[in-house]
């Protein structure tokens, strides 16, 4: 996986760039599961255990993107396109400690990881 950027408290990564990967959806799904597991093992405040553990939302989509290096003084690698926006909507509509994926990402995941169980949430706003 390639870390693209962090925006506020959001972390964006991509699989299959710059070279295509036959198991891109599986890689992202495994990363998502590990990220949730790591967050749930991390206390919000080590001095106040009653605050509990960190909970995150995860969303992902599979689709084409345009990549470019942006900036003169502080150049950075950025991704653009509908797939980036779609992935962002998957995350923002996700539930705490859950992975929300687009139908396309789900299709690829089922092809790349036979036997995995996914549940439809229906049509989201």
């Amino acid at each position: 996986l390639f870390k693209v950027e962090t925006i506020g408290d959001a972390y964006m990564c991509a699989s299959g760039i710059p070279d295509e990967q036959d198991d891109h959806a599986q890689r992202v799904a495994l990363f998502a599961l590990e990220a949730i597991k790591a967050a749930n093992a991390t206390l919000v405040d080590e001095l106040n255990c009653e605050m509990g553990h960190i909970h995150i939302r995860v969303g992902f989509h599979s689709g084409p993107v345009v990549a470019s290096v942006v900036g003169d003084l502080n150049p950075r690698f950025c991704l653009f396109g509908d797939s980036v926006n779609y992935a962002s909507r998957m995350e923002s509509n996700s539930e705490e400690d859950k992975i929300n994926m687009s139908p396309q990402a789900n299709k690829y995941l089922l092809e790349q990881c036979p036997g995995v169980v996914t549940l439809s949430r229906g049509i989201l706003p």
Side-chain angles (χ1 to χ4, degrees), residues 12 18 31-33 35 76-77 83 85 87 91 93 95 100 120-122:
M12 182 169 39
F31 175 79
L33 289 170
R76 60 189 183 125
F77 183 76
S83 292
N85 298 331
E91 181 273 331
N93 284 295
E95 296 176 355
N100 196 37
S120 174
R121 292 185 58 210

Side-chain angles (χ1 to χ4, degrees), residues 4 10 24 28 35 38 44 48 54 57 59 75 78 83 98 119:
V4 178
H24 64 279
V28 173
V44 171
N48 184 0
I54 294 175
R57 298 184 318 251
C78 293
S83 292
K98 301 277 173 126
L119 303 172

Side-chain angles (χ1 to χ4, degrees), residues 37-98:
K37 184 176 169 183
N40 291 170
T42 304
L43 289 169
V44 171
D45 184 346
E46 292 182 358
L47 300 177
N48 184 0
C49 295
E50 291 180 10
M51 290 184 71
H53 294 83
I54 294 175
H55 299 279
I56 62 173
R57 298 184 318 251
V58 177
F60 75 96
H61 172 67
S62 294
V65 295
V66 174
S68 181
V69 176
V70 176
D72 291 326
L73 297 175
N74 188 16
R76 60 189 183 125
F77 183 76
C78 293
L79 298 179
F80 303 95
D82 289 339
S83 292
V84 175
N85 298 331
Y86 202 158
S88 177
R89 284 194 303 276
M90 291 294 101
E91 181 273 331
S92 63
N93 284 295
S94 187
E95 296 176 355
E96 203 173 81
D97 300 327
K98 301 277 173 126

